[in-house]
Amino acid sequence: MKDGDDFRQLIQHIRKIKPLKIALYGLCTKRGFVRAGSAFCRRALSMHERRTRSQQKHAELIDAIVEMHGAETKQFWPAIADLAESEGWWDAPRGQPFRPDAFKIDRTTQTIEIHEAVITHPPSEKTLLSMGSLWFALDSEEWDLKLFLHRPDDIAPAEISLCHWYYQLLGQASAESASPVFAIDVSEAAV
């Protein structure tokens, strides 16, 4: 067997069996990697442990957000649908391809807060554009949507302007559908 075949088998095995540590250990000992490729196994196990630690930090930060802001973590889109129905919105905001870490709906101030815990990387551009689209839908109903990014080392969360991301989305859409525009001369000589 080639090294590439062993690696493919390792990846296939990892995808099938959980927890990862047991799968890696079992495959490393079963396939003889302990002698030949123990460095590979150590690297794979260490990557798994780092990923597990960052997931644990993420969960702890979300718990702190929920406790501090009184936010919820589940059922964001059903909550938005219920809000649209109870407010009598003609065109309810459609679900977007994101699920926030935590959210809070405040009916008295007509504000929805989205809280994202940032441990390894900030929300992707696609996520921010989707949130910008939701901002526009809510803004047209005179509701405000705020995005807060929380880092474990920051005291106060950063607030991101979703209005900016909506206009970024609008700019992309107009650039894709733009057709050549011909200038019309409206000077006095042309009249």
Side-chain angles (χ1 to χ4, degrees), residues 42 53 93 105 111 113 154 161 181 184:
R42 280 194 305 269
R53 278 193 302 265
I105 298 175
T111 303
E113 296 177 0
D154 288 344
S161 170
V181 177
I184 300 174

Side-chain angles (χ1 to χ4, degrees), residues 1 3-15 27 31 33:
M1 257 189 208
D3 288 336
D5 294 335
D6 291 340
F7 182 72
R8 278 196 271 312
Q9 286 179 352
L10 175 65
I11 297 302
Q12 289 172 356
H13 190 69
I14 288 170
R15 287 182 180 154
L27 187 62
R31 295 283 182 196
F33 278 122

Side-chain angles (χ1 to χ4, degrees), residues 4-187:
D5 294 335
D6 291 340
F7 182 72
R8 278 196 271 312
Q9 286 179 352
L10 175 65
I11 297 302
Q12 289 172 356
H13 190 69
I14 288 170
R15 287 182 180 154
K16 290 179 187 174
I17 297 177
K18 291 181 181 178
L20 183 60
K21 195 170 189 176
I22 293 170
L24 281 171
Y25 180 76
L27 187 62
C28 289
T29 55
K30 188 190 304 182
R31 295 283 182 196
F33 278 122
V34 171
R35 283 182 284 112
S38 62
F40 170 76
C41 287
R42 280 194 305 269
R43 281 194 308 271
L45 287 171
S46 119
M47 283 175 45
H48 170 66
E49 288 168 357
R50 278 195 309 262
R51 188 174 302 124
T52 303
R53 278 193 302 265
S54 70
Q55 289 172 345
Q56 184 178 5
K57 285 181 185 177
H58 189 262
E60 289 170 358
L61 185 55
I62 291 172
D63 290 342
I65 292 167
V66 167
E67 185 178 317
M68 188 182 333
H69 297 279
E72 301 175 45
T73 58
K74 298 183 190 278
Q75 303 294 320
F76 176 70
W77 291 108
I80 295 295
D82 290 344
L83 177 67
E85 185 177 324
S86 68
E87 292 287 320
W89 294 345
W90 179 73
D91 189 22
R94 292 174 188 80
Q96 298 290 331
F98 71 90
R99 195 185 88 212
D101 291 331
F103 68 96
K104 180 180 176 182
I105 298 175
D106 187 354
R107 291 175 186 264
T108 58
T109 61
Q110 293 188 325
T111 303
I112 298 173
E113 296 177 0
I114 293 178
H115 298 272
E116 287 291 326
V118 179
I119 299 295
T120 55
H121 59 280
S124 68
E125 183 176 352
K126 179 181 177 183
T127 299
L128 290 170
L129 291 172
S130 297
M131 287 180 183
S133 178
L134 178 62
W135 169 85
F136 178 75
L138 292 171
D139 188 58
S140 65
E141 298 293 342
E142 298 180 0
W143 274 68
D144 195 17
L145 179 67
K146 296 180 178 182
L147 170 63
F148 296 98
L149 299 182
H150 299 263
R151 292 184 181 274
D153 54 350
D154 288 344
I155 295 171
E159 185 175 351
I160 305 299
S161 170
L162 292 172
C163 171
H164 165 77
W165 286 101
Y166 173 73
Y167 286 106
Q168 286 286 107
L169 180 67
L170 202 60
Q172 286 179 1
S174 66
E176 290 172 1
S177 66
S179 61
V181 177
F182 298 100
I184 300 174
D185 188 10
V186 291
S187 63

